[in-house]
Amino acid sequence: MEYVWKRLTEEHADRKAVLINLGGGMICDLGGFAAATYKRGIDFIHVPTTVLSMAECRSGWQARC
């Protein structure tokens, strides 16, 4: 988590930035939390790459997939 926030800060991400989460369920969870808490929330896009994370997004188990 600290690494994600550090990289966003180093890249001068502002409130108009978009974080793209490419990976399975844990990556989408971590990226979603990082995006929601960085500068009081930035937009993010989940790109699920495992069958389970695709199913979670399809059924709405994860936030804003």
Side-chain angles (χ1 to χ4, degrees), residues 15-52:
R15 295 261 306 148
K16 296 178 183 176
V18 176
L19 181 64
I20 300 174
N21 305 316
L22 177 65
M26 189 202 75
I27 298 299
C28 289
D29 288 344
L30 179 118
F33 182 77
T37 56
Y38 182 74
K39 295 195 181 227
R40 295 176 308 172
I42 62 173
D43 290 335
F44 62 96
I45 299 170
H46 289 316
V47 182
T49 58
T50 63
V51 174
L52 181 58

Side-chain angles (χ1 to χ4, degrees), residues 2-20:
E2 183 179 344
Y3 177 77
V4 176
W5 287 326
K6 185 177 179 180
R7 287 297 308 224
L8 287 168
T9 303
E10 288 173 356
E11 298 297 328
H12 306 291
D14 60 6
R15 295 261 306 148
K16 296 178 183 176
V18 176
L19 181 64
I20 300 174

